Amino acid sequence: MPSRPVKVFYGVGGAGKSALRAKAVDECRARMSDQGGYPLAFAHVDLDSDRITPAYPIFDLFAGRLRAALKAAGCPLPLFDVYCLAWHARGMSSGTFSAEQVQDFLGTHQKASEVAGSWWAPLTDFATSLKGVDLVLKAGIAFRTAWHTRRYAVHFPNLELAELSEADFMQYAHHVLAHDLLAFLDAQRERNGHPKALCITIDGFERIQSQVCAHDAQWALQELCSRIATADPQPRCGFVLFGRNRLQWRELYDRREDLPEDTWDALLEQHLVGGLGETDAEYFLDQAEAWYTARAVDPRSAEILEILSENRKAILDAAEDLADDQPARSFHPYTLDLALRQIDSHRDGFNASTHLGRGHKELQARFLRYMDEGQRSAMQALALALTFDHAVFRLLIKEDLIKGIPVQGFHNLVDPANSHILPAGPQVYRFHSKMQEALLAHLHDQPSGPKQAADVIASLVAHYSAQLAEAVRRHDVAAMQAAYVRAADILLAHADTGLLDVAVFGPAFAALDKAIPWGLLARPRLATWTRAEGVFRARLSADAEKTLGARGEIAYWTGESGDARTALALIEALLPDQRRVLGPDHPDILKTRANLATWTGQAGDAHAALALFEALLLDQQRVLGPDHPDTLTTRNNIATWIGECGDAGRALALFEALLPDQQRVLGPDHPETLRTRNNIAFLIGKTGDLGTALSLFEKLLPDQQRVLGPDHPDTLTTCNNIASFIGWTGDVGTALSQFENLLRDQQRVLGPDHPDTLRTRNNIAGWTGMGGDTSTALTLLEALLPDLLRVLGPDHPLTLGTRHNIAGWTGMGGDASTALTLFEALLPDLLRVLGPDHPHTLNARHNIAYWAGKCGDVAKVLALSEALLPDQQCVLGPNHPDTCATADRIADLQQRLHPDPQTTDDPPGQPPSPARNAPCPCGSGKRFKHCHGQRG
């Protein structure tokens, strides 16, 4: 297998990762020198000094660390230098950075010239005029006249230096730096006959590591790595990361639209750096003896030295990892250090058998047993938090759950000398996994331990629940996710070990999940419900009501995450088990039946979904009553799927009858009420009144933003509908701009594979074509189709619709024959999935006739149109615009087959242009008069 471009070495502190890095670099350089191999540049970043500040983590990492390391390795970064310079200047004008800090960044005036490039030379007064606003303006003026300007403008046309914001830097720093690195590697492709290679190493990675997908330093670094590693042609550039913890980049970031799902599986190679062998452990003790010998004038050091020298074997026995699968003796520096701490703490009356024991578990148990009770209790409380910072420490003191330790004691607790405390992120800490296990085991064995644990867990969950509530109030989705994940992790971790009783866990977890607004955080909720199902199954049983309920949640959030087919399979497997255990009329059964109908429709079978909902409604009215919220929701779904089956008029009537009942029972601001208003507006537009529909959407949007927040999926759906109807009223440019803005929000909130995100990509392609760029529209659709097939499957309506649009834009691009072939291949699938009477099926038949005519077969067009007309009259009605358009076409074709020179100017044998009210043959779904007919 070829070597992967991103390598990670992780393990506990002191396991030798930094030494491994230095040794590997030296050996690699020596080998290349001996063999005449590739010239290799190394850029090394050491994060162990912990200077990554929470305020500007990406700036600290990229401008403060990576830039300096790459410069030292001989990599020029002209665009990134200017980018950083503009950021510094922006900071100066707002008071964030001082002039001295900027000067320190640039160095001397001569160095400033090197930073900015030759275009900086005209700014002779730069050294004496270092004011933030002036600097930005001068940089902008000079930049516009430089060669760098053209490069920058091509790659970053929307990133104005004079308007650079904090959000801009966070969002685009990796783009600019990746561009400079790739340009450098390309320019230096041949040096002394060999391509130049670059190795970027980062030590102490845990300083920026996080457990959530957020725009932080870790996110920016993985974006940089992926863009370099997936560039074509592949540059000779690799990344080697050293840290305490395994990376979770596949779980957090493998959802980029422009990369396949298994990107990080393909790019990332991780290695656990294990414990020390016996020889290395002896060397560790040699070094410790040497350290204390150098300080033997201190009585305390002299005492420790004496005990250490006399008890080396006992220390090794206590520090040994006694795992059954160890082929040889293994020792962690953490346990060796713990043994020395025991010697220091108990040097008066030290006894190896009493204070050390045999094996690391006994050593940890003795470490805790002889510890001050207040200190041990504090450590146990923090262990229950899993990860902690100063705020958590203050909270537990305030709640009287940590006693006898002042707030200032936190800094002593997390002192780097304490090897059992590890960094878990910027200013965030955790216990070494072995110490974490020992702390909680000791707590579990105490008579009052479970009660103490329950109190601490309740306090922590309440703390993060309050943060969640505040984030909900602010509509801050990222903050919601951070608070939810922290609280859920605490509940799940301790319920899984049995420290938290499942009777306490179940209601607490359900309340936490319920606090999130409907529809948000689909992926995190899927992950946490999957873990919760495992807890319920292990602590209760596979048939327990809570276990079955968790399976239902897993299926639901699987669908909400964009995988309708898997959700449907999970629901189909769950329903028989629920019926067997709960009975046919249990509320959970009715809920599962509703989800079965939903995901049946979302998987592509609208008619089956409608039948399932209609059968469900009768049972809900009987069991729950006509005004129960679930009954009203099913009425909403019946109307929705009637519309999806093609009867917009009947669907509109059902929604208009439902809305007053929802307003009376649920209230005007309930999400279901707002959703019905959206559906009414959409169907009014679909039946032809575009102006009224757009007005209703624009009145709805502020209510959704106020109640649900700007990032809620329903709010985003309304933004989609507003953009669509703006386009349908004729403003194609504004529609396209709004869709492009919407896509960015959907990718951020829903993910690139969510059906709504994919639908917006389809819409962008359509409106790009409507704006006159047929070629780009077709390219966008052809890039979208494989993603639709992978995510939704071949029979999903959106997949079929995209195939329809590809055929239409192929024809509009001038290839009538291929368009006809594509439409003829699509029609059998439409007939099988949607049925012969669905409007999309009838529209495809219309387009087959149209493109047959464009290929010159007027007789075939007439035959197809005459076969189509009675079906349109039956399904759509005799006065429907599509029906009238087909009737007009038949009349025109009959005339053209027998042309009368007095009544037509068109050449005989040529098909007519579409009727004004006919569906546009491009496949957009619009009338010809509102689409390509506008240009005529």
Side-chain angles (χ1 to χ4, degrees), residues 111-291:
K111 287 181 180 178
S113 249
E114 295 170 7
V115 166
S118 60
W119 56 268
W120 194 268
L123 300 181
T124 55
D125 61 342
F126 167 73
T128 58
S129 179
L130 198 61
K131 295 181 180 178
V133 176
D134 290 342
L135 179 61
V136 171
L137 295 176
K138 290 173 184 175
I141 292 169
F143 200 61
R144 281 194 294 271
T145 64
W147 172 73
H148 297 93
T149 312
R150 294 190 293 275
R151 291 176 55 201
Y152 192 97
V154 167
H155 293 279
F156 314 108
N158 299 318
L159 202 58
E160 292 290 338
L161 287 174
E163 299 175 3
L164 190 65
S165 68
E166 179 179 344
D168 291 330
F169 195 92
M170 291 176 63
Q171 183 70 28
Y172 300 109
H174 61 273
H175 287 273
V176 183
L177 183 56
H179 176 274
D180 273 348
L181 284 176
L182 291 171
F184 163 71
L185 292 166
D186 184 63
Q188 299 294 322
R189 187 177 297 275
E190 294 295 326
R191 184 178 179 184
N192 298 326
H194 297 286
K196 184 163 186 176
L198 174 65
C199 179
I200 301 173
T201 66
I202 298 178
D203 201 357
F205 180 77
E206 68 275 2
R207 299 287 181 179
I208 62 168
Q209 198 162 4
S210 61
Q211 305 302 313
V212 297
C213 182
H215 279 200
D216 53 16
Q218 175 179 248
W219 166 83
L221 181 61
Q222 68 84 30
E223 286 286 318
L224 176 69
C225 290
S226 70
R227 291 185 185 280
I228 297 294
T230 59
D232 187 17
Q234 177 65 54
R236 294 194 174 274
C237 181
F239 295 81
V240 186
L241 277 55
F242 302 87
R244 296 180 185 270
N245 309 313
R246 188 179 189 276
L247 295 194
Q248 295 180 292
W249 288 5
R250 180 182 63 80
E251 295 85 351
L252 293 175
Y253 306 117
D254 238 350
R255 296 189 295 271
R256 276 222 345 237
E257 178 187 276
D258 55 336
L259 295 175
E261 264 191 41
D262 60 351
T263 295
W264 282 117
D265 276 341
L267 299 181
L268 197 61
E269 181 180 322
Q270 305 210 58
H271 303 275
L272 173 63
V273 180
L276 305 176
E278 188 166 1
T279 301
D280 290 331
E282 290 277 8
Y283 177 73
F284 181 100
L285 296 183
D286 291 341
Q287 294 296 103
E289 283 194 29
W291 192 91

Side-chain angles (χ1 to χ4, degrees), residues 612-625:
L612 289 169
F613 274 122
E614 288 174 334
L616 172 63
L617 180 62
L618 299 176
D619 291 334
Q620 286 179 319
Q621 289 171 329
R622 173 177 55 82
V623 175
L624 305 177

